Amino acid sequence: WIINYQGGLTRRGIIGEICFHIAKFFNSDLRFIIFLFQSFFYLLFLVLTFNFFRNINNNILTSFAVFTPIFILYPVAEIEVLARKEMFLYIYFLCFIFFCDPKSNYKKYLNIFIFIITPIVCLIYEEIVLFFPFIVACVVFQNKVKTFKSFFKLCLLFTPSLMIVLYFFIYPMTDENHAVMIQSLLDNFNERCYMSCQLLIVNDINEFGVVIDFIYGRASWDVIMTWIIRHLLIFLIGFFPLFILASHSKIKNKNIFSYFKLTNILYLMFFLYLPIIPLFIFGGDWGRWIGMLISFSTFFYFFLYKFNHIDVDFKTLSKKFSFFRNKKKLVIIIFILFAFGWNQKTAMSGDVAT
């Protein structure tokens, strides 16, 4: 949050720059201003999330999907990820879904929203580009995009955003500019540049070898395999309710995904996950990446469900889970253990928390 533009344009700096100038103008503590920003935007995220889910038909499986411990409950259970910058990505996606609402009077401004707001989000947290497939998929469903020409026109809306991220790759912050930013924080607020601020030049996104060595260099293959197996289990267990719903859901009206045999929503979701794999290779906060992945996946699935873009085979699901019929106490116990009994930690080296 303290990354800013005092040393020049850099990734993730726009919020820090705004906080910097507000704190300086009011002669206030920088941390207090950041706290106000965090509190406001986290509350906004909760309000938007509640508003999104409140009119959705609820059942046992949807409750398990929403209250998986790696989704909404995760920042509460793992305080280290509370009010991190991915919160802005969720707010952006929820606002985007609002513009997609067929009943909204603002749906005609959807393309303008993508073209103008998305580049600003890239300045806040550039990793939003890895989740662009979810945004594109929503528009494909909403506009019933069937041709490659229409799909290409849709992708052109993301050109300014991609150019911004490309700029950060081509012109990363120099050591000299980083030193200016560090000194500015010290002179104005007596703040030390640490964590992500310090790693801006240590983890240069252009030097993949350096990044890989920084993350995995001190770990043996046995340890790395332990991390992979642990987070694979977290992924499978935490996503299980959503995957069950998605596997029994199919596209209602044909669109461009139908031509690629992605009518089953589970297959479509796996396809959308492909660009996100680099996060797990070049970043060590695997718990956060899983949290981001489940958040976009859940919002995306319920976007399809809420706006009637999919057919869900609840009859088959009811048969498969008939054992739990009339066993309310057992379901409640399982729900409590599943939702509140565990969660992943932030870093890949962290064990499962209870």
Side-chain angles (χ1 to χ4, degrees):
W1 283 80
I2 62 174
I3 299 172
N4 57 66
Y5 294 152
Q6 295 301 299
L9 188 64
T10 184
R11 56 195 174 101
R12 310 180 189 181
I14 189 169
I15 296 296
E17 183 71 6
I18 293 171
C19 291
F20 184 99
H21 286 288
I22 292 176
K24 195 171 180 181
F25 180 81
F26 289 103
N27 195 26
S28 179
D29 182 65
L30 179 61
R31 287 178 181 266
F32 177 69
I33 298 299
I34 290 174
F35 168 74
L36 293 180
F37 266 66
Q38 289 176 326
S39 301
F40 171 78
F41 284 106
Y42 187 68
L43 286 173
L44 177 61
F45 163 66
L46 293 178
V47 169
L48 291 173
T49 302
F50 172 77
N51 186 65
F52 175 72
F53 283 111
R54 67 175 179 172
N55 294 323
I56 292 177
N57 293 329
N58 189 33
N59 57 54
I60 294 299
L61 265 178
T62 57
S63 296
F64 271 81
V66 171
F67 288 99
T68 178
I70 62 176
F71 179 37
I72 294 176
L73 297 175
Y74 176 48
V76 180
E78 180 62 15
I79 202 71
E80 189 177 344
V81 300
L82 183 64
R84 298 290 285 265
K85 283 188 176 177
E86 53 264 31
M87 169 181 63
F88 288 100
L89 309 192
Y90 307 151
I91 292 172
Y92 163 78
F93 195 40
L94 287 167
C95 291
F96 164 81
I97 290 174
F98 170 77
F99 280 90
C100 286
D101 188 343
K103 298 178 182 178
S104 172
N105 295 325
Y106 301 98
K107 60 183 179 181
K108 59 185 177 181
Y109 301 114
L110 178 61
N111 289 350
I112 297 175
F113 178 87
I114 296 172
F115 191 78
I116 296 177
I117 303 300
T118 308
I120 298 173
V121 178
C122 288
L123 293 173
I124 297 174
Y125 200 35
E126 77 284 352
E127 288 171 5
I128 182 63
V129 298
L130 302 178
F131 296 90
F132 277 175
F134 285 95
I135 302 165
V136 172
C138 288
V139 181
V140 166
F141 277 94
Q142 192 60 39
N143 294 344
K144 298 180 177 62
V145 175
K146 295 180 180 179
T147 65
F148 287 99
K149 182 179 179 180
S150 299
F151 184 78
F152 179 72
K153 288 181 178 179
L154 166 61
C155 292
L156 288 178
L157 292 172
F158 296 89
T159 303
S161 303
L162 294 173
M163 290 180 66
I164 287 174
V165 176
L166 186 62
Y167 173 87
F168 292 141
F169 268 93
I170 299 174
Y171 302 105
M173 176 169 266
T174 64
D175 292 347
E176 294 77 12
N177 289 344
H178 190 254
V180 172
M181 183 178 70
I182 292 175
Q183 194 60 45
S184 179
L185 287 168
L186 279 172
D187 292 343
N188 289 280
F189 304 106
N190 196 29
E191 280 289 346
R192 181 175 58 87
C193 184
Y194 64 99
M195 292 184 67
S196 296
C197 181
Q198 182 62 34
L199 293 175
L200 267 178
I201 57 172
V202 176
N203 287 354
D204 189 340
I205 53 181
N206 285 320
E207 300 180 7
F208 295 136
V210 175
V211 174
I212 293 294
D213 184 66
F214 178 83
I215 296 171
Y216 305 102
R218 290 169 290 183
S220 65
W221 277 108
D222 290 341
V223 172
I224 294 174
M225 285 306 300
T226 301
W227 297 343
I228 294 173
I229 293 171
R230 178 191 299 140
H231 284 83
L232 183 60
L233 289 173
I234 291 171
F235 175 81
L236 293 174
I237 296 171
F239 276 74
F240 180 73
L242 186 64
F243 283 168
I244 289 294
L245 284 168
S247 65
H248 290 79
S249 304
K250 292 187 177 181
I251 295 174
K252 179 172 288 188
N253 299 310
K254 282 188 176 182
N255 56 41
I256 196 168
F257 295 125
S258 305
Y259 300 116
F260 294 96
K261 309 298 181 184
L262 296 173
T263 54
N264 186 290
I265 300 303
L266 181 62
Y267 299 154
L268 175 58
M269 287 172 65
F270 280 138
F271 176 73
L272 300 179
Y273 292 166
L274 293 178
I276 302 164
I277 295 175
L279 266 182
F280 293 89
I281 298 174
F282 300 110
D285 289 348
W286 287 5
R288 287 177 64 197
W289 311 154
I290 289 176
M292 293 168 69
L293 192 58
I294 189 68
S295 297
F296 274 89
S297 299
T298 305
F299 290 135
F300 173 68
Y301 177 82
F302 283 99
F303 157 80
L304 300 178
Y305 179 59
K306 182 177 183 179
F307 298 139
N308 204 29
H309 293 303
I310 55 177
D311 287 318
V312 186
D313 189 359
F314 284 116
K315 187 175 181 180
T316 301
L317 283 171
S318 180
K319 289 180 180 178
K320 288 184 176 180
F321 292 92
S322 59
F323 171 79
F324 296 100
R325 195 174 298 155
N326 300 322
K327 293 183 175 64
K328 187 175 180 179
K329 290 183 179 179
L330 177 61
V331 172
I332 291 174
I333 291 171
I334 294 174
F335 178 82
I336 292 173
L337 291 175
F338 174 75
F340 305 106
W342 66 280
N343 67 274
Q344 79 271 30
K345 300 295 287 183
T346 304
M348 61 188 179
S349 56
D351 204 345
V352 177
T354 59

